[in-house]
Amino acid sequence: MAPPRLKLPKKKQHLEVSAILLAPLYTGNPASDTILQKLVNIDDYLESGDSHEEAMRKHRGGDPAKALRFADRALDVYSQGLAKFPRSFDLAYNKARLELEKATDPVISEALAVPVIDVLRQALSSHEYARDLEPQHPDPLFNMAQVLTTMAEILAEDDEADDAEAIQYLKRALEIQNVCFQLQEATFAKNRLEIEQAMRETAQEEMSSNGGEQLATVNTITEPQDINQEEQWVSIEEPITAGTLLETVIAQLEALRALCSILSSSEIASAMSALSWIDSYSTQLLTYTLPTLLSENQEALEPRLPDIMLPRATFMGNYLELSFRLSTIDVEKYKQELDAAFSQPVLDATSERVLMAIANALLSFNNALADSKSETHAALRWKILIDAQSRLSSVAKIPNADKYTVATTHLMRGDISLLLQILSYPPTAHPQAQATTPQLLKHAEVYYRNACKMLGTLGSSAGEEKAACELKGAVVDVLQQVNTSQAAAGSSSGQSNGGTGINLTASPQQIKAALESIVKTRGEPWVGDLIEDMVSEGLVLPQIFSAII
């Protein structure tokens, strides 16, 4: 999470008449809005930009487009201020931070007319400018790393993008976070020493004569105060605390997790050297930096142990997957260390976040085993998938659980049902999967239908996911028809459900009938791409839909 923007509280100080600001008037129309104010100094630009940001937050819940317009007005003000005062760190930082918020806010970013990655590139440039103004200030460094991490994750989701570029962004983000942490740590240590010195001086003053105390009282009472002074906006910063340091460690773990995830799903030739780099970085972070931070600030950070242990466990899950894929650990070590990562006493195994994290880690474990092409892991994969299914079921039963999260659990359980069912085919030919294929397909149908209903109640923001659920439900319909035909053919030929001689291809007529409605609304290219994704994810055998892909 990015640190808060510079706050702009008012302090009573002398303000020149030329800088007095009149209240801005807004009509709601960006073309006709009139802002009756004279922007003379840096404070004027800061106040004007802040007023637009407040309006942005006011409207983000009900009118994202209007909120975006106010965000753009604030950015215009900051840009105009920087044109006049190019050395103002406050203006530069606020502009950079707002561009990051504009790109990452889940509501405002939906209203963007340009790709999010373009906004992030501008935010990166703005953060570099702010950093150059104050190289020893940790906040622009923290935010810059967040920009780079977000850019990497977006590129990783783009099939046409270069994974090597995303990996370089994440390495750079981690290097910047490391520098940021060192600066924060130095400031934190300095502040702690100053506080201890102040406490010692206070204790010494309390032991001094009563005359000194009386003199201090007189000085306090007689200090002149100008009650007619005008107000001026000034910038203040959040103090560096142990919690600040912990947030930076969490950000590093999240970047490391993203790096492992991208490497696991790509075919980067330098993946082994990248793993060595991750080993070195994470070892320093997890065996020295984090334990030292926790031990030296035990009282302050003990309530936040779950906040750090869950990202740590999630990173370990992705790290173990990458290590297994690169053959540096075996399946037994993978299983043991994954269990240990999520078995920390401070983690609430019944909470929504922990349950979802465990389910995702188990699914990654299954995918890694599936990609290993070993026929000996069928029983373990079955157990892993059943465990993930159970965790997701527990999430859906949590009272007042987030609606989107519950919808996601149904979607994931539909996928898991297909992953279990596909174990019935050779070379795995798992007996339990073969015996329960009809039930598994029925379960997938129900899960996808429930997910569609829930996503439908969330409005247009979940429209794409709802359409994907509808298509997956239609795919299940095809699979049920193929299974019925397969069972009939197997019965007449004396072969079992997983017989290799049985035709597993759906007819063009079956496919057209099942997919016709979704093709009309979303188009053939969209449908074809999603079915190819299902094949690549191991949810569907490619030969079943060979008639269209």
Side-chain angles (χ1 to χ4, degrees):
M1 180 182 296
R5 62 189 171 86
L6 296 180
K7 301 295 191 299
L8 301 174
K10 295 181 179 180
K11 286 189 177 181
K12 292 185 177 180
Q13 296 178 358
H14 179 65
L15 185 66
E16 298 294 334
V17 174
S18 61
I20 296 177
L21 305 180
L22 300 178
L25 300 179
Y26 307 115
T27 68
N29 185 342
S32 61
D33 278 351
T34 301
I35 305 178
L36 300 177
Q37 62 185 63
K38 188 176 181 181
L39 305 181
V40 175
N41 56 30
I42 293 174
D43 291 338
D44 299 349
Y45 286 99
L46 288 171
E47 181 182 10
S48 178
D50 183 72
S51 67
H52 288 309
E53 288 198 53
E54 292 302 323
M56 173 194 75
R57 292 181 177 84
K58 175 182 176 182
H59 290 287
R60 72 177 295 280
D63 192 340
K66 196 169 186 177
L68 178 60
R69 289 198 296 271
F70 277 112
D72 288 337
R73 291 178 194 175
L75 291 172
D76 287 342
V77 170
Y78 294 141
S79 296
Q80 292 167 16
L82 283 170
K84 191 172 182 180
F85 305 100
R87 304 300 299 173
S88 170
F89 173 76
D90 291 356
L91 287 171
Y93 177 80
N94 275 11
K95 176 177 181 289
R97 188 221 45 81
L98 181 55
E99 287 168 345
L100 172 57
E101 182 175 350
K102 176 180 170 181
T104 56
D105 184 285
V107 175
I108 295 176
S109 61
E110 287 292 325
L112 290 173
V114 297
V116 172
I117 193 74
D118 291 346
V119 181
L120 287 167
R121 289 194 176 100
Q122 175 58 46
L124 179 60
S125 176
S126 296
H127 277 95
E128 289 171 337
Y129 184 89
R131 175 207 56 193
D132 291 343
L133 291 176
E134 290 198 20
Q136 300 302 307
H137 200 301
D139 283 359
L141 294 176
F142 185 98
N143 279 3
M144 190 189 306
Q146 296 296 89
V147 173
L148 289 164
T149 300
T150 307
M151 290 174 67
E153 290 176 331
I154 291 175
L155 289 175
E157 294 174 357
D158 185 350
D159 293 336
E160 299 180 359
D162 185 2
D163 284 341
E165 183 180 8
I167 290 167
Q168 288 305 312
Y169 281 152
L170 285 168
K171 282 189 173 183
R172 186 183 172 199
L174 284 160
E175 290 166 352
I176 290 172
Q177 287 286 22
N178 190 43
V179 174
C180 174
F181 183 86
Q182 291 173 8
L183 291 171
Q184 290 173 333
E185 192 175 35
T187 302
F188 180 59
K190 179 182 176 182
N191 291 344
R192 185 155 53 185
L193 289 175
E194 290 174 349
I195 291 172
E196 291 173 355
Q197 177 65 24
M199 292 176 65
R200 285 194 296 268
E201 292 175 355
T202 300
Q204 291 173 358
E205 290 176 1
E206 290 177 350
M207 296 174 63
S208 64
S209 64
N210 290 334
E213 183 178 343
Q214 291 171 357
L215 179 60
T217 303
V218 172
N219 287 340
T220 302
I221 295 173
T222 60
E223 182 179 352
Q225 297 184 28
D226 183 359
I227 61 174
N228 294 319
Q229 287 177 335
E230 296 288 348
E231 294 180 337
Q232 179 176 349
W233 289 68
V234 298
S235 299
I236 64 171
E237 300 176 31
E238 298 290 333
I240 302 296
T241 66
T244 308
L245 296 172
L246 191 69
E247 288 293 338
T248 305
V249 173
I250 292 172
Q252 291 176 82
L253 285 171
E254 290 173 344
L256 284 168
R257 176 206 57 76
L259 180 54
C260 289
S261 178
I262 293 172
L263 287 166
S264 292
S265 59
S266 65
E267 297 180 357
I268 299 293
S270 59
M272 187 62 76
S273 64
L275 177 61
S276 177
W277 189 91
I278 293 168
D279 276 334
S280 176
Y281 193 107
S282 62
T283 298
Q284 172 70 18
L285 185 67
L286 296 179
T287 64
Y288 175 73
T289 303
L290 179 58
T292 301
L293 176 63
L294 294 176
S295 65
E296 292 181 353
N297 303 275
Q298 185 173 2
E299 184 177 352
L301 295 182
E302 187 171 3
R304 297 203 57 190
L305 284 177
D307 295 340
I308 184 65
M309 288 305 173
L310 183 56
R312 182 186 184 280
T314 303
F315 157 67
M316 285 302 301
N318 288 97
Y319 170 77
L320 291 168
E321 179 190 1
L322 176 60
S323 300
F324 177 77
R325 288 181 180 277
L326 295 177
S327 302
T328 63
I329 61 172
D330 59 20
V331 65
E332 289 302 321
K333 187 173 180 63
Y334 190 161
K335 184 178 184 305
Q336 290 171 4
E337 296 205 8
L338 185 63
D339 289 342
F342 285 98
S343 299
Q344 298 296 320
V346 297
L347 292 178
D348 180 3
T350 64
S351 72
E352 178 181 311
R353 291 178 61 212
V354 174
L355 286 167
M356 291 295 292
I358 295 174
N360 281 311
L362 290 169
L363 287 173
S364 295
F365 192 5
N366 169 75
N367 294 340
L369 292 175
D371 291 342
S372 71
K373 306 300 182 183
S374 172
E375 300 177 17
T376 63
H377 299 320
L380 177 58
R381 289 178 60 195
W382 178 272
K383 182 179 179 181
I384 289 169
L385 290 169
I386 293 296
D387 190 3
Q389 191 83 281
S390 175
R391 309 278 181 167
L392 295 169
S393 178
S394 296
V395 174
K397 295 175 182 177
I398 295 175
N400 302 317
D402 178 72
K403 290 183 179 180
Y404 177 79
T405 300
V406 174
T408 300
T409 66
H410 283 276
L411 173 58
M412 292 174 68
R413 283 188 281 175
D415 289 350
I416 290 173
S417 295
L418 294 186
L419 290 170
L420 288 166
Q421 187 269 331
I422 212 167
L423 289 174
S424 65
Y425 301 113
T428 52
H430 188 56
Q432 285 178 277
Q434 291 176 331
T436 58
T437 284
Q439 295 94 320
L440 291 170
L441 291 175
K442 184 62 179 178
H443 291 162
E445 178 187 11
V446 173
Y447 287 136
Y448 288 140
R449 183 167 63 243
N450 289 341
C452 281
K453 290 179 181 178
M454 292 182 179
L455 291 169
T457 66
L458 300 177
S460 58
S461 62
E464 188 78 9
E465 289 158 294
K466 180 176 181 294
C469 282
E470 291 173 349
L471 176 58
K472 287 185 174 182
V475 167
V476 171
D477 183 29
V478 174
L479 297 177
Q480 288 174 320
Q481 294 181 58
V482 170
N483 182 68
T484 300
S485 301
Q486 180 185 1
S491 176
S492 61
S493 65
Q495 291 183 343
S496 67
N497 187 32
T500 57
I502 299 174
N503 181 23
L504 294 176
T505 303
S507 69
Q509 293 77 17
Q510 289 174 321
I511 296 173
K512 180 180 179 180
L515 305 182
E516 187 173 10
S517 62
I518 192 71
V519 168
K520 285 182 179 179
T521 57
R522 306 296 300 194
E524 288 185 8
W526 184 88
V527 170
D529 288 345
L530 193 57
I531 291 178
E532 287 184 357
D533 288 343
M534 293 181 71
V535 170
S536 66
E537 292 165 9
L539 302 176
V540 180
L541 292 177
Q543 58 265 41
I544 292 179
F545 286 89
S546 59
I548 64 169
I549 60 174

